[in-house]
Amino acid sequence: MKKIISLAFTKKGMTIISALLIGFFVISTVVTYTPIVIVETQYRYHEFLTSFFHVNDIRALIMPQFNFDFVTTKYPTAGMTIPKLYMDEPIIFNVDPQNRPQYMAALKQGIAQAAGTNLPGYPGLGYYFAHSSSAETVSQYNAVFYLLGKLQTGDEVDIWKDGQKNQYVVYDSYVTTPDDLRFLNQTYDHETIVLQTCWPPGTTLKRLLVFAKRT
Amino acid sequence: MKYIFSFLSILFITLFAFSSQVSANLTFNGGEYTNICGSGLMANGSTCNGSCNPTTGSCSAGGNTVVRFVCDGRQTQCNQNESQFSSVQYFGNPGANKTVAIVVFSKPCRLSGAWICGDSDMKDYMVWYSGVNQTAPATTQPFPTYQPTPASTTAPYAICGDQQPVLIQFQKPNAGKWVGGNEFTSQNVYTNNQINVNCFSKNGTSLLTNGYIDVTDPSGQTYRASNTSELRNFQTNKVGNYTFTCRSTSLNNCNSQDAFRVQSVPLPTYTPTPVPTPTPTQVSSCNSLQVTSGNNSLVPATVTLHATGSDNKGNIQGYRFYFGDGQQTETTNSDVQHQYTTSGSFIAHADVKDSQGNWKTSQACVTTVTVQSAPIESFRSGCSDIYIHADNNSRAPSKVTFEVTGYDNKGSLQNYRLDFGNGIVKDSTGRDFEQVYNTVGTYNVKAYVQDSKGNWVGGVNNCNRTVVIGSTKPLTAQPSTGTPTALPVAGAISGVLGLSVQAFKKRFATQLVS
């Protein structure tokens, strides 16, 4: 032990220690923010194509453009599309939000629908949640809901189930504490969904809730 | 019947004279009155309280003591009940063996309706016992007339003189004008209003010197309202007459009294709140599905279908047609054309999308389309659709009903088969199935039809659906879906430490062993 301490106070020892510390900083930064950067970059890319070239896909610049709008989805059986965010992700229904291993496994695949809340097509509240960031960079669905903060009143959210599109329109959003369950205890006469993610991205400090009503 | 009368005149004699009086029993009206507790400062409320034993002179707490507290100040400084000096003082009918206590305080004790004097303020105290053989008739008895004499140390009061005339007047805050009682009453003074009172002198040109203001409220209680000639924001709590009297502590015959009446707050005029018309519960339905043209045409047949729906809270927003041949379409038009490329009988369905965005269907929105066979047509059969309806909002346990449709252009379908996705598979000659799902989950349901040649076909496209059965377990928490905050925080700290170590190494490079 003495030897290790004395070694730490040598030039070489300090170089190793500082390299390890800075290395951990770099790794934690990469792990935390890479999914965010990827999602943000993809969003900016699509936004650039849309605003400058009025196309949704780069191929449309050299080929006749087909309709790449979100009139359909890759996940017609269980999926969510948000045209404004260029988002098309699968949904895993009936995920227990109080069972962390279960919902973490579901979030690796996409968006989780909380068990105990309403399914599309039925009046009441449907509760959907996904990562805003994740330490699991290997998963392609990390940071699915990172862009939720860009949604505004009137934006469209679609949930696909059994081949049917259920269309919703955003009417409210706010940031709250993790233990704020008021929205769960309300009565919703209209079919409503709430999209939830951690906020700000890269933390678990608060929750962002986006509410949308069935059109 | 026995009566006790107390000699109020003794209240203002000097302590010395008083002490000399209590040394013997007093006999009056056939009764014998014994001072059993002494008098003066030695006989305070602590040592002589309650009923007393005339033989031993000792007193115990509680009992039938009749207590008369008398204020020592000028009559105007005392509460009316304690200060009315009279030649006759009547104590009711306490009976024999009763004690009358008389307390003299050194200052006015009833300010703002509350007693503020204690033992330390006591100037004199007497307790008189009524005796055991009272036989006096129940009459009030005259006592020697007493006129209070100001203490010799007190300077004689000055005369009001040039302060006249003295006038008490009232004002509503911020109202400006000072008025007398009658006019003030006409201004409608209500309970819980605040008022101002001034005691003017010299015909309203100034305030009365050394003035104070007493008030008698509607319940008859009189108390000091102000120790100056001004009273501000006095709250009128009761309905009735308030009488205000102003006097001077230094001038005689300088006083004024006036009264006004306080009314109860008028009840607000009741304006009935309009009762909102109850919003009717939304009722919407798919009412009919008809083949308007092309029925019984030869294949390929173009058929027009017409669906109707109703919604009591708005319009039907859309229509969804299932043609029964595995094809479907969604439109905002209630009429739709479809080309059938296979002959046979097809069971068509329609759903309508109501104003709330919910899709509704019913048995009225099911119809059969018949397409005649062409002379030369190859054999075709298939499973068209599964129609699913779950009760209990698709929450476990949920009874789910299924309707399977198919077609066969060379004959009739023989059987229907449904794989419920939970390990149960049922065959039936009818196209309707029913299954109860007790467990939460997503079930992949596949339907098959057995055609006239005995082949089972289906399990794909619209005959392959999922049934999601939700949970009824109440949700009690928001899940954590972000990167644990500790990770980036630890990373940042680590980075700072790493740079610090580097800086340390550079700073002390010469002192470190390489």
Side-chain angles (χ1 to χ4, degrees), chain A residues 176-215:
Chain A
T176 187
T177 53
D179 57 354
D180 180 4
L181 301 176
R182 286 173 299 173
F183 70 99
L184 289 174
N185 300 320
Q186 290 178 20
T187 304
Y188 297 86
D189 296 330
H190 208 89
E191 187 183 334
T192 306
I193 58 169
V194 56
L195 314 180
Q196 178 248 297
T197 193
C198 283
W199 205 259
T203 73
T204 51
L205 295 174
K206 294 198 170 184
R207 302 290 185 270
L208 170 65
L209 302 173
V210 176
F211 293 85
K213 269 183 189 172
R214 181 76 179 267
T215 57

Short mmCIF file of all heavy atoms in Angstrom, two decimals, chain A residues 176-215:
data_model
loop_
_atom_site.label_atom_id
_atom_site.label_comp_id
_atom_site.label_asym_id
_atom_site.label_seq_id
_atom_site.Cartn_x
_atom_site.Cartn_y
_atom_site.Cartn_z
N THR A 176 -42.14 18.43 -14.78
CA THR A 176 -42.55 18.27 -13.39
C THR A 176 -41.59 17.32 -12.67
O THR A 176 -40.65 16.81 -13.26
CB THR A 176 -44.00 17.73 -13.33
OG1 THR A 176 -44.44 17.74 -11.96
CG2 THR A 176 -44.10 16.33 -13.89
N THR A 177 -41.88 17.12 -11.40
CA THR A 177 -41.01 16.26 -10.60
C THR A 177 -41.40 14.79 -10.81
O THR A 177 -42.54 14.50 -11.17
CB THR A 177 -41.14 16.59 -9.10
OG1 THR A 177 -42.52 16.54 -8.75
CG2 THR A 177 -40.61 17.98 -8.83
N PRO A 178 -40.48 13.88 -10.55
CA PRO A 178 -40.79 12.46 -10.80
C PRO A 178 -41.95 11.95 -9.97
O PRO A 178 -42.64 11.01 -10.38
CB PRO A 178 -39.49 11.74 -10.42
CG PRO A 178 -38.43 12.76 -10.54
CD PRO A 178 -39.06 14.07 -10.17
N ASP A 179 -42.20 12.54 -8.81
CA ASP A 179 -43.27 12.02 -7.95
C ASP A 179 -44.60 12.74 -8.16
O ASP A 179 -45.54 12.52 -7.41
CB ASP A 179 -42.85 12.11 -6.48
CG ASP A 179 -42.50 13.54 -6.08
OD1 ASP A 179 -42.46 14.41 -6.98
OD2 ASP A 179 -42.26 13.77 -4.89
N ASP A 180 -44.66 13.57 -9.16
CA ASP A 180 -45.92 14.27 -9.45
C ASP A 180 -46.83 13.34 -10.25
O ASP A 180 -46.61 13.11 -11.44
CB ASP A 180 -45.62 15.54 -10.24
CG ASP A 180 -46.89 16.31 -10.57
OD1 ASP A 180 -47.98 15.88 -10.12
OD2 ASP A 180 -46.81 17.33 -11.27
N LEU A 181 -47.86 12.82 -9.58
CA LEU A 181 -48.74 11.85 -10.24
C LEU A 181 -50.14 12.42 -10.47
O LEU A 181 -51.09 11.68 -10.71
CB LEU A 181 -48.85 10.58 -9.38
CG LEU A 181 -47.52 9.87 -9.11
CD1 LEU A 181 -47.74 8.70 -8.17
CD2 LEU A 181 -46.89 9.39 -10.39
N ARG A 182 -50.25 13.74 -10.39
CA ARG A 182 -51.59 14.34 -10.53
C ARG A 182 -52.23 13.95 -11.84
O ARG A 182 -53.42 13.68 -11.89
CB ARG A 182 -51.48 15.86 -10.44
CG ARG A 182 -51.23 16.38 -9.04
CD ARG A 182 -50.97 17.85 -9.08
NE ARG A 182 -49.78 18.14 -9.88
CZ ARG A 182 -49.38 19.35 -10.20
NH1 ARG A 182 -50.06 20.39 -9.84
NH2 ARG A 182 -48.28 19.54 -10.91
N PHE A 183 -51.44 13.94 -12.89
CA PHE A 183 -52.03 13.66 -14.21
C PHE A 183 -52.58 12.24 -14.29
O PHE A 183 -53.46 11.96 -15.10
CB PHE A 183 -51.00 13.92 -15.32
CG PHE A 183 -49.88 12.91 -15.36
CD1 PHE A 183 -49.92 11.86 -16.26
CD2 PHE A 183 -48.80 13.00 -14.50
CE1 PHE A 183 -48.89 10.93 -16.31
CE2 PHE A 183 -47.77 12.07 -14.54
CZ PHE A 183 -47.82 11.03 -15.44
N LEU A 184 -52.05 11.35 -13.46
CA LEU A 184 -52.55 9.97 -13.48
C LEU A 184 -53.88 9.85 -12.75
O LEU A 184 -54.64 8.92 -13.00
CB LEU A 184 -51.53 9.04 -12.82
CG LEU A 184 -50.26 8.78 -13.61
CD1 LEU A 184 -49.29 7.97 -12.79
CD2 LEU A 184 -50.56 8.08 -14.92
N ASN A 185 -54.13 10.77 -11.84
CA ASN A 185 -55.34 10.67 -11.02
C ASN A 185 -56.50 11.49 -11.58
O ASN A 185 -57.53 11.59 -10.95
CB ASN A 185 -55.02 11.13 -9.59
CG ASN A 185 -53.94 10.27 -8.97
OD1 ASN A 185 -53.93 9.06 -9.17
ND2 ASN A 185 -53.01 10.88 -8.25
N GLN A 186 -56.29 12.08 -12.73
CA GLN A 186 -57.38 12.85 -13.34
C GLN A 186 -58.27 11.93 -14.18
O GLN A 186 -57.88 10.82 -14.53
CB GLN A 186 -56.81 13.93 -14.26
CG GLN A 186 -56.12 15.04 -13.51
CD GLN A 186 -55.53 16.06 -14.46
OE1 GLN A 186 -55.93 16.15 -15.61
NE2 GLN A 186 -54.56 16.82 -13.99
N THR A 187 -59.46 12.46 -14.46
CA THR A 187 -60.37 11.73 -15.34
C THR A 187 -60.27 12.35 -16.73
O THR A 187 -60.28 13.56 -16.88
CB THR A 187 -61.81 11.86 -14.82
OG1 THR A 187 -61.84 11.38 -13.48
CG2 THR A 187 -62.77 11.04 -15.67
N TYR A 188 -60.15 11.52 -17.71
CA TYR A 188 -60.06 11.98 -19.09
C TYR A 188 -61.26 11.46 -19.86
O TYR A 188 -61.38 10.26 -20.12
CB TYR A 188 -58.77 11.48 -19.73
CG TYR A 188 -57.52 12.01 -19.05
CD1 TYR A 188 -56.97 11.36 -17.95
CD2 TYR A 188 -56.88 13.15 -19.51
CE1 TYR A 188 -55.84 11.85 -17.31
CE2 TYR A 188 -55.74 13.64 -18.90
CZ TYR A 188 -55.23 12.99 -17.79
OH TYR A 188 -54.10 13.47 -17.18
N ASP A 189 -62.18 12.37 -20.18
CA ASP A 189 -63.36 11.96 -20.94
C ASP A 189 -62.98 11.62 -22.37
O ASP A 189 -63.52 10.72 -22.98
CB ASP A 189 -64.40 13.08 -20.93
CG ASP A 189 -64.90 13.36 -19.52
OD1 ASP A 189 -64.91 12.40 -18.73
OD2 ASP A 189 -65.24 14.51 -19.22
N HIS A 190 -62.05 12.38 -22.89
CA HIS A 190 -61.61 12.19 -24.26
C HIS A 190 -60.42 11.23 -24.25
O HIS A 190 -59.68 11.18 -23.29
CB HIS A 190 -61.18 13.54 -24.82
CG HIS A 190 -61.34 13.65 -26.29
ND1 HIS A 190 -62.49 14.09 -26.88
CD2 HIS A 190 -60.48 13.35 -27.29
CE1 HIS A 190 -62.31 14.08 -28.20
NE2 HIS A 190 -61.10 13.63 -28.46
N GLU A 191 -60.27 10.51 -25.34
CA GLU A 191 -59.11 9.63 -25.41
C GLU A 191 -57.84 10.48 -25.46
O GLU A 191 -57.69 11.34 -26.32
CB GLU A 191 -59.19 8.74 -26.65
CG GLU A 191 -58.09 7.69 -26.66
CD GLU A 191 -58.13 6.85 -27.92
OE1 GLU A 191 -59.21 6.72 -28.54
OE2 GLU A 191 -57.07 6.33 -28.30
N THR A 192 -56.97 10.25 -24.51
CA THR A 192 -55.79 11.10 -24.33
C THR A 192 -54.55 10.22 -24.17
O THR A 192 -54.64 9.13 -23.61
CB THR A 192 -55.95 11.98 -23.07
OG1 THR A 192 -57.17 12.70 -23.18
CG2 THR A 192 -54.81 12.96 -22.91
N ILE A 193 -53.44 10.71 -24.66
CA ILE A 193 -52.18 10.03 -24.39
C ILE A 193 -51.22 11.02 -23.75
O ILE A 193 -51.32 12.23 -23.97
CB ILE A 193 -51.53 9.43 -25.67
CG1 ILE A 193 -51.30 10.52 -26.71
CG2 ILE A 193 -52.38 8.31 -26.22
CD1 ILE A 193 -50.45 10.08 -27.88
N VAL A 194 -50.33 10.49 -22.94
CA VAL A 194 -49.27 11.33 -22.37
C VAL A 194 -47.94 10.65 -22.70
O VAL A 194 -47.79 9.44 -22.53
CB VAL A 194 -49.44 11.54 -20.85
CG1 VAL A 194 -49.50 10.24 -20.09
CG2 VAL A 194 -48.32 12.42 -20.30
N LEU A 195 -47.03 11.44 -23.24
CA LEU A 195 -45.69 10.95 -23.57
C LEU A 195 -44.75 11.48 -22.50
O LEU A 195 -44.73 12.69 -22.24
CB LEU A 195 -45.25 11.44 -24.95
CG LEU A 195 -46.27 11.31 -26.08
CD1 LEU A 195 -45.68 11.82 -27.39
CD2 LEU A 195 -46.71 9.86 -26.25
N GLN A 196 -44.00 10.59 -21.88
CA GLN A 196 -43.16 11.01 -20.76
C GLN A 196 -41.71 10.60 -20.98
O GLN A 196 -41.44 9.52 -21.51
CB GLN A 196 -43.67 10.37 -19.47
CG GLN A 196 -42.83 10.71 -18.24
CD GLN A 196 -42.08 9.52 -17.69
OE1 GLN A 196 -42.70 8.57 -17.25
NE2 GLN A 196 -40.76 9.56 -17.73
N THR A 197 -40.82 11.51 -20.60
CA THR A 197 -39.41 11.18 -20.64
C THR A 197 -38.67 11.96 -19.56
O THR A 197 -39.24 12.89 -18.98
CB THR A 197 -38.80 11.48 -22.03
OG1 THR A 197 -37.52 10.87 -22.13
CG2 THR A 197 -38.68 12.97 -22.27
N CYS A 198 -37.44 11.57 -19.30
CA CYS A 198 -36.66 12.28 -18.28
C CYS A 198 -36.15 13.60 -18.83
O CYS A 198 -35.87 13.71 -20.03
CB CYS A 198 -35.49 11.41 -17.80
SG CYS A 198 -36.00 10.14 -16.66
N TRP A 199 -36.01 14.55 -17.96
CA TRP A 199 -35.65 15.89 -18.40
C TRP A 199 -34.82 16.59 -17.34
O TRP A 199 -35.14 16.42 -16.17
CB TRP A 199 -36.93 16.69 -18.67
CG TRP A 199 -36.71 17.80 -19.64
CD1 TRP A 199 -36.56 19.12 -19.35
CD2 TRP A 199 -36.60 17.69 -21.07
NE1 TRP A 199 -36.36 19.83 -20.49
CE2 TRP A 199 -36.39 18.98 -21.57
CE3 TRP A 199 -36.64 16.61 -21.96
CZ2 TRP A 199 -36.22 19.23 -22.92
CZ3 TRP A 199 -36.48 16.86 -23.31
CH2 TRP A 199 -36.28 18.16 -23.77
N PRO A 200 -33.81 17.35 -17.65
CA PRO A 200 -33.25 17.54 -18.98
C PRO A 200 -32.56 16.28 -19.49
O PRO A 200 -32.19 15.41 -18.67
CB PRO A 200 -32.23 18.66 -18.78
CG PRO A 200 -32.30 19.07 -17.38
CD PRO A 200 -33.11 18.09 -16.63
N PRO A 201 -32.35 16.16 -20.79
CA PRO A 201 -31.68 14.97 -21.33
C PRO A 201 -30.31 14.79 -20.68
O PRO A 201 -29.61 15.76 -20.42
CB PRO A 201 -31.54 15.29 -22.82
CG PRO A 201 -32.62 16.26 -23.09
CD PRO A 201 -32.76 17.09 -21.85
N GLY A 202 -29.98 13.55 -20.40
CA GLY A 202 -28.70 13.26 -19.75
C GLY A 202 -28.82 13.20 -18.25
O GLY A 202 -27.83 13.01 -17.55
N THR A 203 -30.06 13.36 -17.74
CA THR A 203 -30.27 13.29 -16.29
C THR A 203 -31.57 12.51 -16.01
O THR A 203 -32.32 12.19 -16.93
CB THR A 203 -30.42 14.68 -15.66
OG1 THR A 203 -31.69 15.21 -16.03
CG2 THR A 203 -29.33 15.63 -16.11
N THR A 204 -31.78 12.28 -14.72
CA THR A 204 -33.07 11.72 -14.30
C THR A 204 -33.73 12.67 -13.30
O THR A 204 -34.53 12.27 -12.47
CB THR A 204 -32.87 10.34 -13.64
OG1 THR A 204 -31.87 10.46 -12.64
CG2 THR A 204 -32.46 9.30 -14.65
N LEU A 205 -33.38 13.92 -13.40
CA LEU A 205 -33.84 14.90 -12.40
C LEU A 205 -35.34 15.14 -12.45
O LEU A 205 -36.02 15.10 -11.45
CB LEU A 205 -33.10 16.23 -12.60
CG LEU A 205 -31.60 16.21 -12.36
CD1 LEU A 205 -30.98 17.55 -12.72
CD2 LEU A 205 -31.32 15.87 -10.89
N LYS A 206 -35.87 15.40 -13.64
CA LYS A 206 -37.29 15.76 -13.76
C LYS A 206 -37.93 14.94 -14.87
O LYS A 206 -37.28 14.09 -15.49
CB LYS A 206 -37.43 17.26 -14.03
CG LYS A 206 -36.96 18.09 -12.84
CD LYS A 206 -37.49 19.49 -12.90
CE LYS A 206 -37.20 20.20 -11.58
NZ LYS A 206 -37.78 21.53 -11.54
N ARG A 207 -39.20 15.23 -15.10
CA ARG A 207 -39.93 14.53 -16.15
C ARG A 207 -40.61 15.54 -17.07
O ARG A 207 -41.20 16.52 -16.59
CB ARG A 207 -41.01 13.62 -15.54
CG ARG A 207 -40.47 12.58 -14.56
CD ARG A 207 -39.68 11.49 -15.28
NE ARG A 207 -39.26 10.45 -14.36
CZ ARG A 207 -38.12 10.45 -13.68
NH1 ARG A 207 -37.27 11.45 -13.85
NH2 ARG A 207 -37.82 9.47 -12.86
N LEU A 208 -40.53 15.26 -18.35
CA LEU A 208 -41.27 16.06 -19.33
C LEU A 208 -42.51 15.28 -19.74
O LEU A 208 -42.42 14.10 -20.09
CB LEU A 208 -40.38 16.32 -20.55
CG LEU A 208 -41.09 16.95 -21.76
CD1 LEU A 208 -41.59 18.35 -21.44
CD2 LEU A 208 -40.15 17.01 -22.97
N LEU A 209 -43.65 15.92 -19.64
CA LEU A 209 -44.92 15.29 -20.01
C LEU A 209 -45.53 16.05 -21.17
O LEU A 209 -45.67 17.27 -21.12
CB LEU A 209 -45.89 15.29 -18.83
CG LEU A 209 -45.42 14.60 -17.55
CD1 LEU A 209 -46.42 14.83 -16.43
CD2 LEU A 209 -45.23 13.12 -17.78
N VAL A 210 -45.89 15.32 -22.23
CA VAL A 210 -46.56 15.92 -23.38
C VAL A 210 -47.92 15.24 -23.53
O VAL A 210 -48.00 14.01 -23.62
CB VAL A 210 -45.73 15.74 -24.67
CG1 VAL A 210 -46.48 16.28 -25.87
CG2 VAL A 210 -44.38 16.43 -24.52
N PHE A 211 -48.98 16.03 -23.53
CA PHE A 211 -50.34 15.50 -23.60
C PHE A 211 -50.92 15.71 -25.00
O PHE A 211 -50.76 16.78 -25.59
CB PHE A 211 -51.24 16.20 -22.57
CG PHE A 211 -50.86 15.89 -21.15
CD1 PHE A 211 -49.87 16.61 -20.52
CD2 PHE A 211 -51.47 14.86 -20.46
CE1 PHE A 211 -49.50 16.33 -19.21
CE2 PHE A 211 -51.11 14.57 -19.15
CZ PHE A 211 -50.12 15.30 -18.53
N ALA A 212 -51.58 14.69 -25.51
CA ALA A 212 -52.22 14.80 -26.83
C ALA A 212 -53.60 14.15 -26.77
O ALA A 212 -53.81 13.17 -26.06
CB ALA A 212 -51.35 14.13 -27.89
N LYS A 213 -54.53 14.76 -27.50
CA LYS A 213 -55.91 14.26 -27.54
C LYS A 213 -56.18 13.60 -28.88
O LYS A 213 -55.67 14.06 -29.92
CB LYS A 213 -56.89 15.43 -27.38
CG LYS A 213 -57.27 15.73 -25.98
CD LYS A 213 -58.29 16.83 -25.97
CE LYS A 213 -58.54 17.30 -24.55
NZ LYS A 213 -59.37 18.48 -24.51
N ARG A 214 -57.03 12.61 -28.84
CA ARG A 214 -57.44 11.95 -30.07
C ARG A 214 -58.22 12.92 -30.94
O ARG A 214 -59.08 13.65 -30.47
CB ARG A 214 -58.32 10.74 -29.71
CG ARG A 214 -58.80 9.92 -30.88
CD ARG A 214 -57.69 9.04 -31.41
NE ARG A 214 -58.18 8.25 -32.52
CZ ARG A 214 -58.67 7.02 -32.40
NH1 ARG A 214 -58.75 6.47 -31.21
NH2 ARG A 214 -59.07 6.35 -33.45
N THR A 215 -57.89 12.94 -32.25
CA THR A 215 -58.63 13.83 -33.14
C THR A 215 -59.93 13.17 -33.56
O THR A 215 -60.05 11.96 -33.53
CB THR A 215 -57.81 14.14 -34.41
OG1 THR A 215 -57.47 12.92 -35.06
CG2 THR A 215 -56.55 14.87 -34.03
#
